[in-house]
């Protein structure tokens, strides 16, 4: 089993020697992304940025009354047909904002979103409905996402009608409603159709929310923490359902979560965000078992995982939480945004933004100066280390 710390810190506690780190190209595309992979890309974000303007108290020296929250900066992400892509990070890392940008709920500050290779223009009205037919968002809270005064029948019928899939007759509508509920394994459908949301369990409500999204017959599902509000005992069932739908309907699914352990089991690819920036990505097995970025290593070390046993004596290591707090996104740190918390921060990390460095495993990359192959021995900057 991989020892998370050993990737950057050898046994004597010093920084890893330079030649122990894989270092290759600096292009932004994952290595191994050939023509076949490109063809499978349904939805992509290219160098996407979102800054929110917020009011400041008073004026600054330049007379400005607002300032920008740098929620998302320079995010590039590809969602492929028939694959689950996890976007992982702490609260406030910007991962839900990425989902909302992909769903066109917020306009971009800069960058581009492409659907099947074609740039997506900011859409409202009919164009927005057409986009929603292809790209559906599932919200975190099934209790809030279904209006409590309406039945399951109403919610699903409305979705089918909005997207022109309700059929011409009452019988066709009933068949479509039954098919939707069967797809999310709520059977027999007649048991659920006339229930109100408060008469359903949390897991059943989330299944209805998923059925409503499927009412549009989408190609892409953006699932924003779809199980975080559910009891632990029913989370696996909902994740398995999404996995099954991905296979049966050939969907591209974005799975947003703060739980990197669930990404390992559920997602084909995993990408990690920190303070509005992507810091690592690759196939889930590689990212979770051989994490390269110090932030990913700390996330994994702090996640409960029954498979993780390190140490020669086979003892479970003490859980390790990322130390310190994420930075303010109103005035994020220069250079690598993780440097105030990073125990391996070097001088250059304070001023220079690390690009993506492709690593040895195809498709695996990390935005960290440890992997540029030119840095001197990684002497930790003591005063920059997390406290
Ligand atoms: Fe740490 Fe520097 Fe890598 Fe950032 S770039 S994670 S501060 S070593």
């Amino acid at each position: 089993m991989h020892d998370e710390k050993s990737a950057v810190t050898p046994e004597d506690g010093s920084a890893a020697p330079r030649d122990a780190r894989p270092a290759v190209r600096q292009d932004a595309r994952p290595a191994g992304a050939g023509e076949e992979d490109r063809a499978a890309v349904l939805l992509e974000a290219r160098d996407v940025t979102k800054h929110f303007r917020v009011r400041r108290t008073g004026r600054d020296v330049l007379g400005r009354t607002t300032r920008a929250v740098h929620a998302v900066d320079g995010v590039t992400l590809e969602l492929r047909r028939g694959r689950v892509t996890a976007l992982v990070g702490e609260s406030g890392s910007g991962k839900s904002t990425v989902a909302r940008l992909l769903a066109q709920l917020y306009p971009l500050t800069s960058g581009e979103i492409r659907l099947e290779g074609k740039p997506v223009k900011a859409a409202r009205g009919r164009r927005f409905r057409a986009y929603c037919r292809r790209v559906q968002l599932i919200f975190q809270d099934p209790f809030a996402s279904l209006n409590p005064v309406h039945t399951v029948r109403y919610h699903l019928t409305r979705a089918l009608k909005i997207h022109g899939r309700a059929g011409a007759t009452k019988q066709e509508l009933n068949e479509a409603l039954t098919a939707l509920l069967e797809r999310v394994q709520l059977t027999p459908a007649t048991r659920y159709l006339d229930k109100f949301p408060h008469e359903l369990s949390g897991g059943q409500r989330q299944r209805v929310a998923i059925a409503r999204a499927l009412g549009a017959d989408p190609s892409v599902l953006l699932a924003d923490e779809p199980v975080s509000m559910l009891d632990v005992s029913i989370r696996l069932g909902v994740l398995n359902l999404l996995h099954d739908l991905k296979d049966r309907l050939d969907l591209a699914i974005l799975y947003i979560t703060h739980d990197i352990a669930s990404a390992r089991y559920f997602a084909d690819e995993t990408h990690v965000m920190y303070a509005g920036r992507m810091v690592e990505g690759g196939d889930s097995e590689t990212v979770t078992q051989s994490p390269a970025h110090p932030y990913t290593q700390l996330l994994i070390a702090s996640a409960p995982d029954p498979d993780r046993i390190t140490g020669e004596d086979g003892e479970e290591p003490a859980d390790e939480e990322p130390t310190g707090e994420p930075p303010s996104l109103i005035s994020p740190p220069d250079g690598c945004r993780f440097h105030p918390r990073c125990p391996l921060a070097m001088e250059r990390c304070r001023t220079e933004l690390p690009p993506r460095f492709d690593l040895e495993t195809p498709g695996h990359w990390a935005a960290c100066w440890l992997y540029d192959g030119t840095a001197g021995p990684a002497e930790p900057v003591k005063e920059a280390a997390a406290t």
Side-chain angles (χ1 to χ4, degrees), residues 74-247:
V75 164
T76 292
L77 182 69
E78 295 176 341
L79 305 183
R80 291 182 173 77
R81 193 184 295 281
R83 289 176 75 79
V84 176
T85 302
L87 194 53
V88 182
E90 293 169 288
S91 296
S93 60
K95 54 193 189 306
S96 292
T97 304
V98 170
R100 281 158 175 73
L101 292 171
L102 288 170
Q104 291 226 53
L105 295 185
Y106 300 146
L108 304 178
T109 301
S110 66
E112 185 176 70
I113 290 175
R114 289 180 163 243
L115 182 61
E116 292 183 321
K118 296 195 184 101
V120 174
K121 295 196 181 121
R124 287 291 168 260
R126 192 183 301 173
R127 267 220 325 257
F128 180 63
R129 276 203 296 282
Y131 185 79
C132 289
R133 224 166 276 150
R134 306 293 312 282
V135 180
Q136 282 281 305
L137 181 61
I138 298 167
F139 292 96
Q140 174 180 15
D141 185 357
F143 301 88
S145 66
L146 296 172
N147 188 330
V149 303
H150 294 301
T151 62
V152 171
R153 182 188 300 276
Y154 173 89
H155 287 294
L156 299 187
T157 300
R158 188 159 181 270
L160 289 168
K161 283 188 172 166
I162 285 173
H163 298 291
R165 302 185 63 240
T169 65
K170 198 170 176 186
Q171 187 183 344
E172 284 176 348
L173 172 61
N174 279 333
E175 285 170 4
L177 292 171
T178 301
L180 277 182
L181 286 177
E182 285 177 348
R183 265 201 183 142
V184 296
Q185 296 157 9
L186 290 178
T187 56
T190 47
R191 183 187 296 169
Y192 300 97
L193 272 172
D194 294 310
K195 290 202 168 175
F196 289 89
H198 73 268
E199 297 176 289
L200 302 171
S201 69
Q204 289 168 342
R205 277 185 235 199
Q206 195 57 299
R207 284 170 192 265
V208 171
I210 293 169
R212 184 176 58 179
L214 295 178
D217 195 22
S219 310
V220 181
L221 284 184
L222 308 171
D224 185 6
E225 304 245 22
V227 296
S228 64
M229 304 283 284
L230 304 180
D231 289 342
V232 174
S233 59
I234 51 180
R235 287 180 186 176
L236 189 59
V238 174
L239 288 181
N240 282 339
L241 169 67
L242 285 170
H243 201 272
D244 180 57
L245 289 172
K246 172 209 70 162
D247 288 339

Side-chain angles (χ1 to χ4, degrees), residues 293-295 336 338-339 342 344-346 349 354 367-370:
H293 195 281
Y295 174 64
C336 171
F338 190 55
H339 85 253
C342 180
L344 297 176
M346 298 167 278
C349 304
C368 171
W369 287 120
L370 291 173

Side-chain angles (χ1 to χ4, degrees), residues 69-72 89-97 225 258 273-277 295 326-329 337:
V69 176
H70 298 235
V72 170
E90 293 169 288
S91 296
S93 60
K95 54 193 189 306
S96 292
T97 304
E225 304 245 22
H258 58 268
M273 278 191 82
Y274 181 77
R277 288 196 178 278
Y295 174 64
S328 161
L329 295 181
R337 288 189 179 173

